[in-house]
Amino acid sequence: MTVFRHTIRSRRRSMIGWSLSLIGLIGVTVAAYPSIAGQEGFSDIIDEYPEFVQEILGLGSGLSINEPAGYLNSQFFSNLLPLLFIIFLVSFGVRVTATDERDGTLDLITAHPIPRRRLMLEKALAVLTTGAFLALLSILTFVISTPLAGMEISLSALWGATVSVFLVGVLFGGLAFGIGAATGSRGSALGITSGLAVATFILWGLAPLIDAINPLERLSPFFWALTGDPILNGVQAGNALLLLGVGVGFAGAGIWMFDRRDIAV
Amino acid sequence: MTDAAIDLSSLTKSYGKARGIVDLDLEVKTGEVFGYLGPNGSGKTTTIRTLLDLIRPTSGTATVLGLDAQKHALEIRSRTGYLPGELSLYEEMTVQESLDYLFALRGGAGTDRMKELCDQFELDPTRKIRDLSSGNKQKIGVIQAFAHQPELLILDEPTSGLDPLMQQKVYHLIDAARDEGRTVFLSSHVLPEVERIADRVGIIRKGKLIEVATVDELKDRAVRVVEVRFGSEGPDEQTLLKADNVVSVEQRRTTVQIRIEGSMDALIKILAGYEVVAMRSEEADLEEVFLDLYREDDA
């Protein structure tokens, strides 16, 4: 597991930054809950919004911003947290594949006695592991901070909501890693992945509005992450496995293609 | 199985428009130091990267240490030391971390020798890669290629960026490898370097191998300039031009400059009949042979 360890160690400093930012962000937002909870005016305004806007805001399914589940869903799980996981996993996924190749550092490593598939597999596992660490850290921060702010919310809700949106990150991270490994092109990996992330987010928001594209919402990873309201009902196993499976599939296909191509100088 | 360390047969690599290598046949014997010469962009690096299965040939085969370069890439890599032409290391790591990582990928083989070489090359293990000069980076490349004492060393421009003192150290390592029966395949575009360390050379140009010869064979073909000062009247130009292998003669009073290609025997026998005060012969220069080969090919 030499490559796995090296890949994680290379991210040491950035991990410290990410960890502190996540803790701070979650801590501050949770701490602001008591001042929102008392203001019924907010939920009155939101109740006036069309249903799809409520959905996009993370306040569908009767969730209220004055209650813990609705507050956390609208502040984190339907927007910020999936975005952060996507940014982290996509950028790391591209860095260990296409960027490593463009910098020429991959050249000397692939000339060492390690099978190419093994090399890439260890890199993929390192990306997944560091991402999972950030997800666990988020859950831990929620678990510690919510009681302090007087929020009553179950562990299974926090766990379910975080894992679901983390898996959206895994799906896009797997795609970025797969394209990076298959092509060595940083531009393609970043461009295609971030383009698709934005497009599927918009699709998820608009599909319920427009009958013609309504069935297409099932193409959006955000749909699978938020359907079934994990913030109320805990992790939705089938949806979670689907997101994980597709992400792993993208990464696996990339590794398979990496094994069959020329390494750029 | 052959006893050749490297055996290329009709090896071809095409890249769309860009030139790769064309129909290359080459045999490098076990235990020899083989210099692979050519200008930048001639296909040296393409050949080397094929040997290590970093790129796959369009057609033809490459056999390294008796093994198919593609099927047995892993075994070949563990028995080979490779120094890339453009060495890139992780900028954020220290020298020690970089070396530890590379040696861990070999299961730790050569770690003791690595420490010796670090001392020998005066490399500070605590420095960050990004703070190193290109010469110091190159030292890391040399150390990771040599320390596990591989059967075959594949070195792409091994001394580029090194100061003359360090160059000498690399030459010593190559000499030592040869003495221990290892094979060295090194590419270069610097002739004196190849002249100094290689037994045989292959010259590649525009992706084609245009010459394979020993260094001595090439030198025999080299043009030498002989300067002779006569005490009294010397022979006239025509007499000198009649001698075998003399290419041209230039006379200034009692001094004559003779350009000669190949054996000097006939010329010396003619000179013997005159009073020779002084004679100076410039060492055959491979550069001339090299340039001639290129000119011939252009013609």
Side-chain angles (χ1 to χ4, degrees):
Chain A
M1 294 302 271
T2 306
V3 175
F4 176 80
R5 275 199 307 271
H6 164 258
T7 308
I8 287 185
R9 198 166 343 147
S10 73
R11 259 332 228 191
R12 243 176 339 200
R13 201 167 306 164
S14 143
M15 284 303 285
I16 296 172
W18 273 88
S19 301
L20 293 177
S21 308
L22 269 176
I23 293 170
L25 196 66
I26 293 172
V28 167
T29 313
V30 168
Y33 171 73
S35 59
I36 304 285
Q39 301 190 25
E40 295 294 332
F42 273 123
S43 55
D44 291 345
I45 295 168
I46 290 163
D47 283 344
E48 299 296 309
Y49 291 160
E51 204 173 322
F52 82 93
V53 176
Q54 295 179 13
E55 191 82 40
I56 291 171
L57 291 175
L59 293 167
S61 310
L63 288 165
S64 162
I65 196 165
N66 298 121
E67 285 160 15
Y71 181 73
L72 292 179
N73 215 39
S74 67
Q75 299 304 308
F76 292 109
F77 299 114
S78 64
N79 40 55
L80 194 58
L81 216 52
L83 182 70
L84 290 176
F85 285 133
I86 290 170
I87 290 173
F88 178 83
L89 289 159
V90 167
S91 63
F92 200 9
V94 172
R95 176 183 292 259
V96 298
T97 54
T99 308
D100 202 7
E101 187 164 355
R102 183 205 60 186
D103 290 348
T105 35
L106 195 64
D107 181 68
L108 186 58
I109 305 303
T110 36
H112 276 70
I114 176 167
R116 283 200 201 176
R117 270 173 296 189
R118 168 87 183 268
L119 169 69
M120 278 296 160
L121 185 65
E122 289 192 25
K123 280 168 175 269
L125 281 177
V127 174
L128 188 64
T129 306
T130 47
F133 170 81
L134 292 180
L136 289 174
L137 186 73
S138 306
I139 295 172
L140 192 67
T141 312
F142 281 123
V143 168
I144 293 172
S145 63
T146 46
L148 297 176
M151 293 168 112
E152 263 179 54
I153 186 154
S154 71
L155 175 63
S156 92
L158 291 171
W159 169 266
T162 310
V163 167
S164 299
V165 298
F166 167 65
L167 290 174
V168 176
V170 169
L171 185 142
F172 286 110
L175 179 63
F177 180 96
I179 297 173
T183 66
S185 163
R186 211 168 151 263
S188 309
L190 281 174
I192 295 172
T193 310
S194 47
L196 272 175
V198 170
T200 53
F201 185 75
I202 294 173
L203 179 68
W204 167 71
L206 286 184
L209 279 187
I210 306 165
D211 284 344
I213 61 166
N214 202 325
L216 293 181
E217 72 178 354
R218 284 163 184 274
L219 291 175
S220 173
F222 297 93
F223 171 83
W224 295 103
L226 297 162
T227 291
D229 296 302
I231 191 71
L232 297 173
N233 309 315
V235 74
Q236 305 292 300
N239 298 353
L241 281 175
L242 179 71
L243 293 169
L244 180 67
V246 174
V248 169
F250 283 141
I255 293 174
W256 187 80
M257 285 165 83
F258 177 73
D259 197 35
R260 273 159 189 75
R261 70 172 175 91
D262 293 347
I263 309 288
V265 183
Chain B
M1 290 285 277
T2 74
D3 68 339
I6 296 174
D7 192 355
L8 308 181
S9 165
S10 312
L11 193 70
T12 300
K13 176 70 185 178
S14 323
Y15 295 104
K17 266 189 215 154
R19 191 190 315 119
I21 47 177
V22 187
D23 218 11
L24 219 67
D25 289 300
L26 175 65
E27 193 182 293
V28 175
K29 296 181 203 118
T30 300
E32 76 173 332
V33 176
F34 191 92
Y36 197 44
L37 269 171
N40 294 327
S42 54
K44 291 180 306 235
T45 299
T46 301
T47 313
I48 284 177
R49 290 167 58 79
T50 310
L51 299 178
L52 291 157
D53 194 39
L54 295 172
I55 56 179
R56 277 72 189 257
T58 310
S59 62
T61 56
T63 308
V64 181
L65 300 170
L67 302 164
D68 182 88
Q70 222 173 314
K71 273 189 220 134
H72 301 280
L74 220 54
E75 187 181 343
I76 290 170
R77 288 185 206 146
S78 66
R79 291 164 61 186
T80 302
Y82 166 57
L83 174 64
E86 271 180 49
L87 180 71
S88 303
L89 299 160
Y90 295 99
E91 299 282 311
E92 292 303 314
M93 292 171 88
T94 65
V95 171
Q96 190 65 56
E97 285 168 345
S98 304
L99 286 167
D100 286 345
Y101 181 39
L102 294 172
F103 281 79
L105 288 172
R106 295 196 177 280
T111 310
D112 294 342
R113 180 99 178 99
M114 176 248 283
K115 288 178 183 124
E116 269 171 50
L117 287 173
C118 277
D119 290 343
Q120 204 177 319
F121 278 90
E122 295 156 27
L123 198 55
D124 177 357
T126 61
R127 293 187 65 186
K128 280 245 165 85
I129 299 296
R130 98 169 98 80
D131 300 328
L132 295 184
S133 65
S134 62
N136 276 324
K137 268 186 222 167
Q138 187 74 356
K139 290 180 193 173
I140 298 179
V142 170
I143 291 170
Q144 62 83 29
F146 279 86
H148 63 289
Q149 306 201 291
E151 287 162 65
L152 172 65
L153 285 145
I154 296 177
L155 312 172
D156 199 353
E157 310 263 353
T159 57
S160 74
L162 292 181
D163 61 50
L165 201 70
M166 291 302 160
Q167 281 183 15
Q168 288 303 322
K169 288 191 179 170
V170 173
Y171 296 157
H172 287 315
L173 283 176
I174 293 173
D175 286 338
R178 180 197 352 233
D179 292 345
E180 289 161 6
R182 306 177 203 287
T183 310
V184 181
F185 183 81
L186 72 106
S187 82
S188 180
H189 64 274
V190 193
L191 274 155
E193 170 167 298
V194 171
E195 217 176 326
R196 152 80 176 74
I197 48 179
D199 305 313
R200 283 202 306 151
V201 293
I203 297 175
I204 183 174
R205 175 164 196 255
K206 293 188 176 170
K208 289 185 184 152
L209 198 63
I210 53 175
E211 178 77 49
V212 178
T214 66
V215 171
D216 290 339
E217 276 165 7
L218 281 183
K219 275 190 181 171
D220 286 347
R221 271 196 270 155
V223 174
R224 258 171 250 253
V225 178
V226 181
E227 198 177 85
V228 186
R229 194 150 63 84
F230 296 102
S232 53
E233 178 123 350
D236 62 23
E237 268 186 49
Q238 289 312 310
T239 315
L240 289 172
L241 278 169
K242 269 180 224 151
D244 286 346
N245 300 334
V246 170
V247 182
S248 70
V249 175
E250 205 177 302
Q251 197 155 15
R252 277 200 324 268
R253 275 175 279 170
T254 55
T255 304
V256 188
Q257 271 202 348
I258 304 155
R259 288 168 67 82
I260 185 161
E261 191 179 331
S263 165
M264 289 207 276
D265 188 60
L267 175 68
I268 297 290
K269 293 207 163 120
I270 289 175
L271 293 178
Y274 299 84
E275 186 191 347
V276 175
V277 177
M279 187 166 134
R280 188 168 63 91
S281 169
E282 270 174 33
E283 169 98 30
D285 190 352
L286 271 185
E287 193 92 34
E288 293 278 343
V289 185
F290 193 58
L291 292 173
D292 278 352
L293 275 169
Y294 277 15
R295 276 193 290 266
E296 274 165 32
D297 202 60
D298 269 339

